[in-house]
Amino acid sequence: MKTFFLRCDDVVRPDRAFLRVFGLLAGLGLPLSCAVIPAGAGKALAAFFRRQKALGAGVEALQHGLSHSEHSGNRYLKHEFGPSRVYGEQLADLAEGKKLLARLLGPVPPVFVPPFHAYNSDTLRALRALGFLAISASRRPERLPRGLAFLPTRVTVNEYDLRLRPRPLDLNLLKARTLAAIKEKGPAGIYFHHADLNAENFRVFSAYAAFLKDLAGRGLARFALCSELIKKPAR
């Protein structure tokens, strides 16, 4: 049985677009890992997570960069963490983001989601130094530091044109990508940006979520939170 995790990126507040997606997935019993931007999140999001935790909902927050800033100067090679940032800068930003999330939400799973899916070896070193146990992105690193796991995203939901404008979702393409991922080894992430799901795209996304639920019902897939896929360090 294939293990998938659903990841919603760029979460900062429980606005209508986010709550619509969360309500859909929660209604289907599909857990959701939320990549939260620490510098953008506030009290409303904290209240949402407290409420859902009290209800025992399958939802969690992960650290998504610090402020989701762009440092590369290239719109097609964007990164907040990457080659334009030295180790010390990345370490400081990661630590600040971790502190902000802990202050707002309390302890969160030690899983880092790099903005724009971009990072380098200095990012990985800094993550280990700060006690993170996993990184989730689309590109697998050539070498992982010992004790740091990789949670790959294999299914991209949103599509964008060359001007980075959202394109219409293609249900058949999403199904094909998911079925292809089932054949691969290890867990696979399905990630999306809730803010870019307009009315028509949300209709397609809803049909896709029903397809995922059907896969689970047929015993072909199971859905988990990222925190369930990482190993705690030995004591």
Side-chain angles (χ1 to χ4, degrees), residues 6-227:
L6 286 160
R7 203 186 77 202
C8 181
D9 285 6
D10 298 354
V11 176
V12 292
R13 62 183 64 87
D15 56 16
R16 180 177 179 276
F18 173 77
L19 291 176
R20 182 174 62 173
V21 167
F22 172 72
L24 168 69
L25 298 177
L28 292 171
L30 297 174
L32 181 62
S33 297
C34 302
V36 175
I37 302 173
K43 293 181 180 179
L45 189 65
F48 166 82
F49 277 109
R50 283 197 303 270
R51 184 165 59 252
Q52 296 307 319
K53 183 178 180 180
L55 294 171
V59 63
E60 67 182 2
L62 309 176
Q63 184 176 336
H64 191 30
L66 171 58
S67 60
H68 211 298
S69 299
E70 203 292 295
H71 294 289
S72 74
N74 186 321
R75 67 182 301 183
Y76 300 111
L77 296 173
K78 293 181 177 181
H79 64 256
E80 182 174 28
F81 295 84
S84 71
R85 316 288 312 289
V86 299
Y87 173 77
E89 292 172 327
Q90 296 196 48
L91 181 69
D93 279 3
L94 284 167
E96 178 65 15
K98 184 177 182 180
K99 181 177 70 174
L100 288 175
L101 272 193
R103 184 183 301 158
L104 185 67
L105 304 177
V108 300
V111 178
F112 181 67
V113 180
F116 316 110
H117 289 259
Y119 61 94
N120 64 0
S121 58
D122 282 338
T123 317
L124 301 178
R125 284 176 55 214
L127 290 173
R128 284 302 297 131
L130 292 169
F132 283 85
L133 297 182
I135 181 172
S136 178
S138 59
R139 175 180 58 85
R140 182 179 294 275
E142 293 182 5
R143 179 180 298 178
L144 274 169
R146 186 175 181 180
L148 191 68
F150 182 68
L151 300 178
T153 51
R154 302 299 297 148
V155 180
T156 302
V157 172
N158 304 92
E159 297 284 350
Y160 300 90
D161 63 21
L162 290 178
R163 295 186 179 181
L164 305 180
R165 295 175 301 193
R167 287 177 169 172
L169 298 190
D170 184 329
L171 180 59
N172 289 330
L173 178 59
L174 291 175
K175 289 181 177 180
R177 286 174 174 171
T178 305
L179 293 175
I182 285 179
K183 301 175 183 178
E184 301 172 352
K185 294 182 179 179
I190 299 169
Y191 84 99
F192 60 92
H193 293 85
H194 63 285
D196 293 332
L197 296 175
N198 59 21
E200 177 57 24
N201 277 347
F202 183 74
R203 184 189 66 78
V204 177
F205 183 79
S206 298
Y208 176 58
F211 167 75
L212 296 179
K213 180 66 175 180
D214 182 62
L215 289 180
R218 292 160 56 192
L220 296 174
R222 79 176 187 97
F223 292 84
L225 296 170
C226 286
S227 58

